[in-house]
Amino acid sequence: MRRARPRLPRYPAQMSSIAPILRGARIANSFAFGLQGFFFAVVLTELPQQKDKFGLSDGLIVGSVVLVSLLAGGGSVAAEQLALRWSSRVTVRIGLLLIAITGTVVAFAPNTAVLLISLSCYGIAVGIVDASTNMQAVFIQHGYGKFVLSSFYAAWSAGSIIGALFVSGCEALGVTLRESLLGAAGIVLVVGLVLGPRLLGPHEAEAGPAEEVAEPAPVAFRAYLVFGIAMALVFAIDLAVGNWSALYLTDDLLASSATAALGLAAYQGTSLIARLTGDLFVRRFGPRRVVRTAAAIGVVGLAVVIAAPGPIVAIAGFLIAGVGLPVVAPLCFSEAGQLTSGRGLDALIARLNLFNYAGTLVGGGVVGAVAAGFGHRIGFVIPLVFAAALIGLARVFHTRPEADKHPTSPGDHALLDL
C-alpha cells in the first residue's frame, strides 16, 4: 500500500530549551498512562467481588462492559473537542480528575443501578484519558525524533500490574471493596494533580509548523484506517484478557479470587517487559517485523490459555501472550501519527482512538457473550483468531523506522539521549 511521505514536525524553539520540557513531559505522561492502567486493573480484577456483592449475572456484566466501551468512545470524541479548544494537557488533567471522582462514586454505590451509572461515567473518563495521553505521547515522540511510544505503554502495563497486585493484596489482607476503591481513586487524584502541569502545553505541542494540516490526504486516510483495524484487533485481545481472565480462572478453572487476579498480573508483567524493550526492537528491526513476531507469540500464548487444564497453566499462557501482543498498539498510534501534525494530530489521534473502543466492544461484549453461552474457555478462541489476523496485517507497517528513512536535523539529535 502506498502512503504519503510522513512529516516529522520540528519544534520552533531552540532545542536546548525544549529538551528539559520534553523530559518533564515524558515523565508526567508516563505517570498518566500508569494511573490509567492502575485504576483500570483495579476495576477489572474486582469484577468477581462486585458480582458477589450485587448478585450480578454474567449477562449483566457483559452489558455493562459494552456500555462502558460505547461511552469511552464518546469520551474520546469529547477529548478531541477539549484538546482543540484548550490543549491535550488540559484534557489529560480533566480525564484523571473524572476517573478519581467516578471511582469514588463506584466505591459508595449502594445498589446495581448506581453502580452501572457510575461505571458508565467512568467509561467517559477512560476515553478522555486514553485519547489525550496518546496525543501527548505522539507529540513527545515527534520532539525526540525517534520511536519512544512503547515506553508510555510500558508505564500503562506497570500501572496495571500494580493495580492487579493492589487488589490481590487487599483481598489477602481483608481490606473491603469500598476501601480499596477509595484508596485507588485517591492515588489517581494526588499524582494527577502533582504531575499534570508538566505535560506539554499548546505552545510546545499542538503549535507545530505543520499545524495547518488538519486532515490526512485520501491515500493517507486509507493507511490510517488499516492501522485503526489493527489496533481494534489488539485492543479486543487486550480487553478480553483484562475482562475475562479473572472470571475464567475462578468460574472455569476454580481458582481463588487472589489467584485469579494473578492472570492479569502475569499478562501485564510480560507486557511491561515487551513495552520496555519495544522501542529498541522497533528501531533495530522496524515496525513490520516486530508486529508479525508479536502477533505470532500472542497466538502461542492464547493457545496455551485455551488448552489449560488448571489455573497455573492458564496463567502461564497469559504470561506468554503478554510477551508480544501489547507492543502492537503503540506502533499503530506511531505509524498513524506520522500522517499529520499540530492541531490536526489532536483530531487524528482522538479519532484513531475510537478503534480502541470498537475493539473493546468485541473483546468485552462478543467474547463475553460467547463465554456466557459456552464458557470462558471457548470465548478465548476469538482473541486467538484476532492474533492470527494481526500476522497478516503486519504487512501494512513500515519495514524500517521512519526516523531512519527521514533523519531529523542535527539539532534534533540533542534530544535523542534524554
Side-chain angles (χ1 to χ4, degrees):
M1 178 183 294
R2 296 183 60 190
R3 284 173 282 176
R5 177 173 173 148
R7 304 182 64 172
L8 299 178
R10 304 285 189 270
Y11 286 90
Q14 292 183 350
M15 304 308 291
S16 59
S17 63
I18 286 292
I21 297 174
L22 274 175
R23 186 184 299 112
R26 187 175 183 182
I27 293 170
N29 202 45
S30 294
F31 270 94
F33 267 87
L35 291 172
Q36 169 78 309
F38 168 76
F39 200 82
F40 193 59
V42 169
V43 171
L44 291 181
T45 52
E46 286 187 339
L47 277 177
Q49 296 92 307
Q50 297 280 19
K51 181 179 180 181
D52 293 339
K53 178 180 178 180
F54 293 101
L56 305 176
S57 65
D58 283 347
L60 186 57
I61 292 176
V62 171
S64 63
V65 168
V66 170
L67 180 61
V68 168
S69 298
L70 286 171
L71 290 172
S76 188
V77 173
E80 176 185 347
Q81 299 305 314
L82 290 171
L84 292 175
R85 180 166 183 175
W86 290 300
S87 70
S88 53
R89 176 172 65 187
V90 171
T91 308
V92 172
R93 299 178 72 183
I94 290 173
L96 290 175
L97 177 61
L98 289 176
I99 285 179
I101 293 172
T102 55
T104 301
V105 177
V106 169
F108 285 98
N111 52 50
T112 302
V114 175
L115 174 68
L116 295 179
I117 292 171
S118 55
L119 284 175
S120 299
C121 294
Y122 167 70
I124 295 173
V126 165
I128 292 174
V129 175
D130 273 348
S132 55
T133 51
N134 276 293
M135 292 173 195
Q136 284 278 317
V138 174
F139 283 126
I140 292 167
Q141 176 167 288
H142 283 177
Y144 272 77
K146 64 177 182 178
F147 186 79
V148 298
L149 245 164
S150 188
S151 65
F152 293 110
Y153 282 75
W156 193 98
S157 296
S160 185
I161 294 167
I162 295 170
L165 294 177
F166 176 83
V167 172
S168 185
C170 288
E171 284 289 298
L173 295 173
V175 177
T176 66
L177 178 63
R178 175 175 294 176
E179 290 168 346
S180 62
L181 280 169
L182 283 176
I187 291 170
V188 173
L189 178 62
V190 172
V191 178
L193 287 174
V194 171
L195 292 177
R198 299 189 67 184
L199 295 166
L200 291 181
H203 296 296
E204 299 91 17
E206 285 89 346
E211 185 174 356
E212 72 278 5
V213 184
E215 296 289 345
V219 174
F221 176 79
R222 289 196 292 272
Y224 145 82
L225 185 62
V226 176
F227 295 139
I229 293 171
M231 192 169 71
L233 292 177
V234 76
F235 273 110
I237 299 168
D238 202 63
L239 197 75
V241 175
N243 270 14
W244 307 112
S245 59
L247 291 174
Y248 174 46
L249 290 168
T250 54
D251 294 357
D252 292 52
L253 301 180
L254 306 179
S256 67
S257 295
T259 301
L262 298 179
L264 181 58
Y267 178 79
Q268 294 298 346
T270 48
S271 296
L272 175 59
I273 296 173
R275 287 167 170 170
L276 283 172
T277 58
D279 292 337
L280 297 175
F281 283 119
V282 171
R283 292 173 207 155
R284 180 170 182 179
F285 300 108
R288 182 180 300 175
R289 187 180 299 180
V290 169
V291 171
R292 184 175 291 127
T293 303
I297 294 172
V299 168
V300 173
L302 291 168
V304 172
V305 169
I306 294 168
I312 300 302
V313 176
I315 290 172
F318 289 125
L319 185 145
I320 294 170
V323 171
L325 292 168
V327 79
V328 178
L331 275 168
C332 293
F333 278 111
S334 177
E335 294 271 294
Q338 296 174 65
L339 303 177
T340 187
S341 64
R343 291 287 184 178
L345 184 54
D346 280 333
L348 184 144
I349 294 299
R351 294 168 194 174
L352 183 65
N353 197 55
L354 293 174
F355 288 94
N356 173 347
Y357 304 112
T360 59
L361 285 173
V362 176
V366 176
V367 174
V370 172
F374 302 97
H376 295 93
R377 188 187 301 273
I378 301 300
F380 273 106
V381 172
I382 297 174
L384 175 63
V385 173
F386 289 165
L390 282 171
I391 297 176
L393 285 176
R395 64 186 178 83
V396 305
F397 290 78
H398 288 106
T399 55
R400 295 178 55 202
E402 286 309 305
D404 291 344
K405 292 194 289 185
H406 307 293
T408 54
S409 64
D412 289 343
H413 287 286
L415 299 173
L416 300 187
D417 295 325
L418 288 180

